[in-house]
Amino acid sequence: MTENTLPSYLSPEHLGPWQTYLSQIEAVAPHIEVSLRPWIETLRRPKRSLIVDVPLRRDNGEIVHFEGYRVHHNTSRGPGKGGVRYHPDVTLSEVMALSAWMTIKNAVVNVPYGGAKGGIRVDPKLLSMPELERMTRRYTSEINILLGPDKDIPAPDMNTNEQVMAWMMDTYSVNQGRTTTGVVTGKPISLGGSLGRRDATGRGVFVTACAAAAKIGLAIPGARIAVQGFGNVGEAAARIFHDAGSHLVAVQDVGGTIYHPAGIDPYALKQHLLVGGKIGEFPGATLIAPSEFWSLDCDILVPAAVEGQLTADNAVGIRAQMIVEGANGPTTPAADAILHERNVLVVPDVLANAGGVTVSYFEWVQDFSSFFWTEEEINARLARIMSEAFDAVWEVAGERGLPLRTAAFVVACKRVLAARAMRGLYP
Ligand code: NAD
């Protein structure tokens, strides 16, 4: 292989999120100072990628196999950090992209981590709780060689939660022969979890939305918000906007899309779903076609579900003044270009949804010192870090006339590459 030939996993048939990430790196490269440019290639390749077989004995005795992944994209600034996703569409290239965005995100908010991500290609809804536990424990054992509080610290992502983190922490601790709470974050409070972690990503979305809204003269009280994905991130963001006086005019979930111009009460919607209600039957709201969601008349659109939702097709119809990306990679590069052209402000994922990893960092610090902070302290520190990150990105965007996404990548890549250059190449 010549030095310029791409490894097979980076070949053109691996389009999708990894390709999106690579095009983001291409956009940032001209803005990196010449002395750091020789190191950019390290950002185009994950440092290490592990594929594991995860056999599971089902409750009926049958043995099934799932494919699991853990990728360390970059560890120049510290140990790998990033979530674990259980989803039937998980692929190695998706996990690579998600790990790369973690490298960028951790550097944007300046927490001392590299980027990592993991996942299992599985539909967890088809598993019983004991099966989910056995699969989680086997996956944790299989990726054990990469894990450790000073090596790689997983956290929840789609379809994983506090319980999954508790099983991962317990499995790692049993294998090590000592309780190691700091090996994962997003744990239950009873196991060294942090106050404020559950809402942290949604709160960070809100903090960055407020900072961006102030720049364009949009008042948050009374602002009309549309949220895609009513999970961990979307539900918390919807609730915090609602508490600040915004109107949640639309919610889209896998079960359907509802619209209510006077505002949906997110507390009532959560309760409705918790007791088994269908989203389309939420009292007072109108069920609309999923495709109509993108062109609704609103002020702030929060995609908080999965990647690749905002495309060239629907970007042309967006009526929101700004998009605040709760999800990772919800906007394709083609949509990004259209939104930039149409003057729709996009607060990118690597900035807007960094609240989760920021409070994960607080959790890790608290676990090391075994001294726990109050929720007020956590929320205040989160707001300060997110606001500082927003200001740094806004300044670079203004100085260089860049979209916020490219500006965030400039801020982050400079930090990562400066660390990389100082460390040098071994041997
Ligand atoms: P979640 O599983 O709690 O919720 C995801 C929600 O999206 C669910 O309500 C699901 O029904 C909905 N959804 C899935 N596919 C959809 C589709 N095609 N159309 C409409 N709705 C759909 O997951 P989460 O933790 O809230 O994560 C959501 C996104 O935010 C992911 O991209 C994740 O990587 C990102 N993220 C999460 C965190 C975190 O702390 N949980 C942090 C940073 C980024």
Side-chain angles (χ1 to χ4, degrees):
M1 190 168 83
T2 69
E3 62 176 305
N4 290 323
T5 306
L6 289 174
S8 61
Y9 55 81
L10 300 186
S11 65
E13 68 264 22
H14 283 283
L15 295 174
W18 178 252
Q19 202 62 37
T20 299
Y21 165 74
L22 288 182
S23 67
Q24 291 162 346
I25 291 297
E26 292 325 304
V28 86
H31 300 282
I32 299 297
E33 52 259 50
V34 173
S35 62
L36 294 178
R37 280 190 203 165
W39 296 101
I40 289 179
E41 188 60 22
T42 60
L43 295 174
R44 296 194 184 102
R45 294 159 187 268
K47 178 180 174 67
R48 52 175 80 93
S49 306
L50 181 64
I51 304 177
V52 295
D53 174 37
V54 186
L56 167 72
R57 192 186 305 279
R58 299 211 60 176
D59 295 341
N60 64 6
E62 183 194 359
I63 295 176
V64 291
H65 293 255
F66 301 106
E67 197 160 280
Y69 314 94
R70 188 73 189 168
V71 175
H72 292 178
H73 173 260
N74 190 289
T75 56
S76 296
R77 301 179 69 252
K81 183 89 190 84
V84 173
R85 176 175 293 196
Y86 292 170
H87 197 276
D89 295 338
V90 167
T91 60
L92 176 62
S93 65
E94 180 189 52
V95 176
M96 281 161 42
L98 292 166
S99 70
W101 285 321
M102 288 308 300
T103 301
I104 303 296
K105 190 182 304 183
N106 293 332
V108 169
V109 285
N110 216 358
V111 293
Y113 290 135
K117 202 85 180 190
I120 306 180
R121 191 173 173 81
V122 62
D123 185 351
K125 293 183 185 69
L126 303 179
L127 301 182
S128 68
M129 276 293 264
E131 288 171 340
L132 197 61
E133 175 174 356
R134 290 198 291 278
M135 183 187 73
T136 299
R137 288 186 182 279
R138 182 60 187 251
Y139 168 70
T140 307
S141 287
E142 293 297 339
I143 64 165
N144 186 60
I145 49 171
L146 298 186
L147 299 182
D150 52 0
K151 284 165 73 180
D152 178 2
I153 308 112
D157 191 69
M158 282 180 70
N159 295 321
T160 58
N161 55 20
E162 291 183 354
Q163 177 61 79
V164 172
M165 292 307 112
W167 290 329
M168 290 189 77
M169 179 281 230
D170 182 69
T171 305
Y172 178 85
S173 297
V174 169
N175 285 336
Q176 295 294 312
R178 60 175 180 276
T179 295
T180 311
T181 54
V183 70
V184 295
T185 60
K187 297 181 294 293
I189 302 287
S190 57
L191 280 180
S194 178
L195 293 169
R197 175 64 183 87
R198 206 171 293 167
D199 282 357
T201 307
R203 186 172 296 283
V205 165
F206 174 76
V207 170
T208 49
C210 290
K215 300 287 186 192
I216 62 169
L218 172 68
I220 290 294
R224 295 161 306 159
I225 319 289
V227 176
Q228 186 198 36
F230 200 66
N232 223 316
V233 180
E235 184 271 328
R239 187 164 26 83
I240 295 167
F241 273 112
H242 172 86
D243 290 348
S246 307
H247 302 302
L248 178 66
V249 294
V251 175
Q252 177 167 96
D253 214 332
V254 278
T257 306
I258 53 172
Y259 176 62
H260 192 4
I264 295 160
D265 178 346
Y267 293 90
L269 177 59
K270 186 176 182 187
Q271 191 54 31
H272 171 79
L273 297 174
L274 268 179
V275 298
K278 293 201 167 82
I279 189 164
E281 291 166 3
F282 182 66
T286 310
L287 182 68
I288 59 170
S291 57
E292 285 181 51
F293 176 80
W294 303 106
S295 54
L296 287 174
D297 192 13
C298 65
D299 299 306
I300 303 177
L301 196 54
V302 180
V306 285
E307 299 100 72
Q309 297 299 295
L310 269 154
T311 62
D313 289 341
N314 55 31
V316 288
I318 296 284
R319 289 157 80 189
Q321 299 183 53
M322 69 186 198
I323 292 169
V324 188
E325 295 183 338
N328 286 310
T331 310
T332 65
D336 241 349
I338 292 168
L339 294 167
H340 186 56
E341 175 88 355
R342 294 190 54 224
N343 255 331
V344 179
L345 185 62
V346 178
V347 186
D349 48 7
V350 290
L351 171 62
N353 72 27
V357 77
T358 302
V359 176
S360 273
Y361 166 60
F362 297 163
E363 179 176 336
W364 183 72
V365 169
Q366 291 171 85
D367 284 342
F368 272 123
S369 59
S370 296
F371 178 74
F372 291 86
W373 313 342
T374 65
E375 192 155 357
E376 289 70 35
E377 284 173 302
I378 285 158
N379 289 344
R381 286 176 164 144
L382 171 66
R384 180 176 58 76
I385 288 182
M386 298 293 293
S387 303
E388 283 173 6
F390 180 88
D391 290 344
V393 170
W394 187 267
E395 192 180 321
V396 169
E399 275 168 12
R400 301 181 182 221
L402 295 174
L404 290 183
R405 189 184 314 282
T406 313
F409 270 65
V410 171
V411 169
C413 290
K414 280 184 165 190
R415 287 179 180 154
V416 176
L417 296 176
R420 190 73 194 76
M422 284 307 287
R423 287 177 67 154
L425 190 63
Y426 172 84

